[in-house]
Structure formats: structure tokens, C-alpha cells
């Protein structure tokens, strides 16, 4: 494996050419081959930085077959640099498949960091940044989208989504209908001349885009659900679905002894074990949790 080539994942600007790094330029110049998602777009970038490395196309529609060819070239000793349309390869673009296949073949994979729309939207959104999840684009197929949204309903981390301008209004409406109104940051045209970052709500954004047509590239950063409120609403749901006796019975039938069942019931209903005990004694579960 000593003379095996390497795979570099080279981040490129998402709008502003000044975000190209020195290292990205050097790696692209030194590579034997650049695998580019959009060769026509990348040629402008390469010309701008005086990079003359041969380029080949690697995109969504040839990603598996092309990845095999690229892996063969790396196994034969060539170094390949992967660049995508813009930003960081592998983030919502075909980079992922190439990385998996290269790793399976034992090829060293090296990230060359730089711009990424999701990360830059998140950090400038004003939303909580400590914990977040990235969903890329919501699926266009309804069943798949509904499944994702069902999971997002209870998501407590900040949610980062990509969206195209022509689908923005529809997506905002879907988000409002499923997640309810939430704090939302719209991050538009990041690093470009018409960059805009503003904090509103999902309903507020919908009102805005009813009046003005969305233009450019968008990242939506949505507040996650409040964890305490989520737990309280789950407890409320349990309390209204099951009486205390039914709840105890369910746990005991699953094999728990009375003490364990009381502990689990107390936790599920958001009440103390003492309250469970008292209510069981009273034989009246109608007021539990009050
Ligand atoms: N790999 C890229 C990255 O690292 O961000 C993302 C590629 S994904 C196919 C393209 C989407 O990223 C766009 O539809 C938009 O949602 C988002 N995006 C890319 N550039 C952007 C920018 N300058 N401002 C806002 N969003 C951007």
C-alpha cells in the first residue's frame, strides 16, 4: 500500500472567492486529478487560482461507477482531490460515496477544511449552537418527508435545513403545519453580496415570502423543541391516556415488581413515588399529576 495515492476532500468557497484557503489551492495544484461535481463551475475557480490540474466529472448520476474508477486510480498511486459544486464535499453532495469506497479500498482520506453553508448558517443564526442536527434538504417524496418530519417534531437540537428558493414557501408551510411556529433564522446568500441573516419565526417567514419572491440560496436554522416542555407534554399525554392503575398494571404485567412499577410510573407521569403511592391508596387516579 506504500505507493497508493490519497483522496483529498477540498472545501471550496460558497460564494466568496476570498474564502478559498492556501492549502486548498496547493492541494488542488499538486493533485494528479480533480474530481469535480460541476466541471463547468469548477473551471472558473481553477482558472481564478491558476490551477491547471486535469479535471474529471464526479456527480450524483455517475457517483458509483465513477468512484470505482477513481479508487482504481488512487490504488495505482494517483492523488485525487474531490471538489463539489461549492462548499465542503460530502455535505449534501455526492462526496460521501467516494469516501466510503476509498476507505473500503484502504486509501487514506484527508479533509481540507473550508466553507460550509450549514455550519456558517448555524453559527450566525442566533439559535442555540451547542447541539444541532443537519437534515440537508427535506425529501421531496411525501412519505419519506413525513417520516423525517415526524422525527423532527420532537427534536430538541437546533435543526439545520437546506432549501432551494422555488420550494421555500412550500417547505415553510409544511414546517409550520408539522412543527408549529418556532423561532427560525433565515440565512441567505451567505458570503455573497446580498448576504442576509435574520431571525424571525416560521409564520413570520411565510408572511414575508407571500409578499416577496425568494431568491438565492437558503439555509433554515430552526429552534429545537424545549426539552422540559417536551417531557411535560409526554407526561401529560400518558396521564390522559392511562389511569394510574392501568399504568401500574402495564408495568407489572411486563414483569416489574410493585416497587419498580411505582418508580417507572412516577417518572412517566411526572409525579413523585409518594404521590403514586398516595393515589393508589386512595384508589382514585383521576387527579394524579395535579
Ligand atoms: N456542500 C455544500 C456545503 O458545504 O454547504 C452544500 C451543497 S448543497 C447541494 C447546496 C445547498 O447549500 C443550497 O441549496 C443551499 O441550501 C446551501 N447553500 C450553498 N451555498 C449557500 C450560500 N452561499 N448561502 C446559503 N445557502 C447556501
Amino acid at each position: 500500500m506504500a505507493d497508493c495515492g490519497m483522496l483529498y476532500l477540498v472545501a471550496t468557497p460558497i460564494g466568496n472567492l476570498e474564502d478559498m484557503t492556501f492549502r486548498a489551492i496547493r492541494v488542488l495544484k499538486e493533485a494528479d486529478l480533480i474530481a469535480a461535481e460541476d466541471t463547468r463551475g469548477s473551471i472558473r475557480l481553477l482558472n481564478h487560482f491558476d490551477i491547471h490540474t486535469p479535471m474529471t466529472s464526479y456527480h450524483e448520476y455517475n457517483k458509483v461507477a465513477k468512484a470505482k474508477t477513481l479508487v482504481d486510480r488512487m490504488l495505482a498511486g494517483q492523488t485525487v482531490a474531490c471538489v463539489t459544486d461549492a462548499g465542503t464535499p460530502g455535505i449534501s453532495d455526492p462526496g460521501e460515496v467516494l469516501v466510503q469506497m476509498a476507505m473500503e479500498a484502504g486509501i487514506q482520506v484527508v479533509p481540507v477544511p473550508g466553507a460550509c453553508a450549514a455550519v456558517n448558517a448555524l453559527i450566525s443564526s442566533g439559535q442555540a449552537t451547542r447541539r444541532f442536527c443537519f437534515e440537508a434538504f427535506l425529501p421531496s417524496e411525501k412519505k419519506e418527508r413525513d417520516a423525517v418530519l415526524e422525527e423532527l417534531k420532537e427534536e430538541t437540537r437546533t435543526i439545520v435545513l437546506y432549501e432551494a428558493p422555488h420550494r421555500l414557501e412550500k417547505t415553510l408551510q409544511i414546517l409550520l403545519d408539522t412543527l408549529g411556529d418556532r423561532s427560525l433564522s433565515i440565512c441567505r446568500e451567505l458570503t455573497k453580496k446580498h448576504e442576509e441573516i435574520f431571525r424571525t419565526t416560521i409564520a413570520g417567514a411565510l408572511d414575508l415570502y407571500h409578499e416577496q419572491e425568494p431568491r438565492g440560496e437558503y439555509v433554515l436554522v430552526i429552534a429545537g423543541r424545549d426539552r422540559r416542555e417536551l417531557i411535560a407534554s409526554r407526561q401529560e399525554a400518558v396521564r390522559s391516556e392511562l389511569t394510574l392503575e392501568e399504568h401500574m398494571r402495564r408495568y407489572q404485567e411486563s414483569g416489574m415488581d410493585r416497587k419498580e412499577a411505582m418508580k417507572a410510573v412516577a417518572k412517566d407521569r411526572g409525579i413523585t413515588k409518594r404521590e403514586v403511592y398516595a393515589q393508589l391508596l386512595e384508589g382514585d387516579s383521576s387527579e394524579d399529576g395535579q
Side-chain angles (χ1 to χ4, degrees), residues 140-285:
S140 50
E141 202 261 313
K142 186 177 181 315
K143 203 168 157 205
E144 222 185 307
R145 186 174 64 232
D146 286 350
V148 172
L149 288 164
E150 200 49 42
E151 285 176 23
L152 291 183
K153 265 188 200 171
E154 302 218 326
E155 180 57 70
T156 56
R157 294 169 296 177
T158 299
I159 302 164
V160 183
L161 293 178
Y162 283 165
E163 196 45 285
H166 64 279
R167 282 200 306 257
L168 187 67
E169 248 191 283
K170 183 178 169 207
T171 296
L172 287 170
Q173 188 61 58
I174 291 169
L175 290 170
L176 183 65
D177 295 344
T178 47
L179 309 185
D181 201 12
R182 301 239 186 131
S183 174
L184 161 75
S185 303
I186 302 257
C187 305
R188 176 180 166 264
E189 295 287 86
L190 294 173
T191 78
K192 301 184 198 175
K193 191 173 168 202
H194 298 291
E195 177 179 270
E196 227 182 340
I197 301 165
F198 63 96
R199 217 169 139 176
T200 173
T201 63
I202 300 177
L206 256 177
D207 286 346
L208 177 75
Y209 293 117
H210 278 325
E211 282 168 23
Q212 81 184 43
E213 195 190 336
R215 277 177 205 275
E217 299 197 273
Y218 287 85
V219 184
L220 307 178
V221 186
I222 306 162
R225 187 134 176 223
D226 182 87
R227 197 181 255 153
R228 271 177 302 188
E229 186 250 318
L230 176 64
I231 293 170
S233 83
R234 281 186 188 148
Q235 292 166 338
E236 171 65 40
V238 173
R239 291 198 298 263
S240 61
E241 273 165 29
L242 292 172
T243 67
L244 195 83
E245 286 78 8
E246 285 167 344
H247 202 166
M248 281 292 292
R249 206 174 310 126
R250 196 170 278 194
Y251 275 126
Q252 287 181 294
E253 281 171 6
S254 77
M256 282 188 185
D257 66 26
R258 187 170 162 83
K259 210 170 151 196
E260 286 170 330
M262 280 171 67
K263 193 174 167 195
V265 164
K267 188 167 180 239
D268 290 352
R269 302 176 88 85
I271 58 176
T272 64
K273 275 187 288 179
R274 191 187 288 266
E275 284 170 304
V276 175
Y277 184 70
Q279 287 175 30
L280 285 173
L281 273 187
E282 279 171 23
D284 171 15
S285 63

